[in-house]
Every structure is written in structure tokens, then in C-alpha cells.
Amino acid sequence: MTDRILALVDGSAYSQSVCHHTAWIAARLSASVDVMHVLGRREIGSTQNLSGALTLGARSALLEELASADESRARLAQVRGRAILEDAQAILQTDGVGQVTPHLRKGDILEAVQE
């Protein structure tokens, strides 16, 4: 019998249901829960070159602006990911799960689960 359950949440409408069902299973197995949210490649920054054929000064300014925008998006994705995990943890604990461990990962979901 397993003593840990991994629940994957993404902040969608289904995440709350995943948490309730995970809590139900955890209660029957007396298991702890690891809840994970994975920031996909699109959420952690872009490697796409959007500078095009611009003059040198304009290209530098645009690249700086794009880098700043990527940084902001990545930071917001992390804040959103932590909020999703906090909400999931609260639902699981309200439903009676004793031990909930949150995990925020970056990259490919399959690689994150394998870890």
C-alpha cells in the first residue's frame, strides 16, 4: 500500500475536484499528499527572437523591453503557481489530510513527475 499520493493541480476548474478526490483517497489509505504545480515552458520565459530586422539602437531597446516583459511574466507565473498550491493545500487540509507537501516545479510536466 502506498503512503503518499501525488496530486497535480493547474488552477483550472478541475483543480478543486482533484483536491477533494485526493483527500478522499488519502483518508482511506491513511496517506500523506504531495501537491504539485508545474510551470510550463511558456510560463517561465520565451526563447523566441522577436527583434526582427531593426536598426541597432531600436533593436537594443526592444530586446531590453522584451527581456523585462519575460522577467515579469515569469515572476507572475511563480506567484500564481504558489497561490494555486496554497489553495490546494487549504482544500486538502480542510478535507482532513494531515500532511500536505506543496511542490512548485519548472519545465516539462513528465520530467517533474519523474523527479
Side-chain angles (χ1 to χ4, degrees), residues 18-28 33 91-93 95-97:
V18 166
C19 292
H20 290 305
H21 284 91
T22 300
W24 181 83
I25 294 167
R28 276 135 190 85
V33 174
I91 292 168
L92 289 162
Q93 289 174 336
D95 284 358
V97 177

Side-chain angles (χ1 to χ4, degrees), residues 2-6 22 26 29-34 97-101:
T2 184
D3 61 345
R4 290 175 49 194
I5 298 170
L6 175 62
T22 300
L29 297 176
S30 298
S32 63
V33 174
D34 291 315
V97 177
Q99 183 180 354
V100 180
T101 306

Side-chain angles (χ1 to χ4, degrees), residues 59-78:
R59 183 178 297 171
S60 296
L62 178 60
L63 289 176
E64 287 177 24
E65 190 172 335
L66 290 171
S68 177
D70 273 351
E71 183 181 334
S72 294
R73 274 193 300 276
R75 193 175 333 106
L76 287 172
Q78 285 191 355

Side-chain angles (χ1 to χ4, degrees), residues 32-108:
S32 63
V33 174
D34 291 315
V35 62
M36 180 184 292
H37 177 72
V38 180
L39 299 173
R41 288 188 174 93
R42 287 180 285 155
E43 294 173 303
I44 57 176
S46 173
T47 58
Q48 185 178 10
N49 182 358
L50 301 174
S51 62
L54 301 173
T55 62
L56 184 59
R59 183 178 297 171
S60 296
L62 178 60
L63 289 176
E64 287 177 24
E65 190 172 335
L66 290 171
S68 177
D70 273 351
E71 183 181 334
S72 294
R73 274 193 300 276
R75 193 175 333 106
L76 287 172
Q78 285 191 355
V79 169
R80 181 179 179 269
R82 282 197 279 295
I84 289 169
L85 289 172
E86 288 173 5
D87 289 348
Q89 189 170 7
I91 292 168
L92 289 162
Q93 289 174 336
T94 299
D95 284 358
V97 177
Q99 183 180 354
V100 180
T101 306
H103 302 277
L104 182 62
R105 299 286 188 259
K106 298 178 185 176
D108 184 71

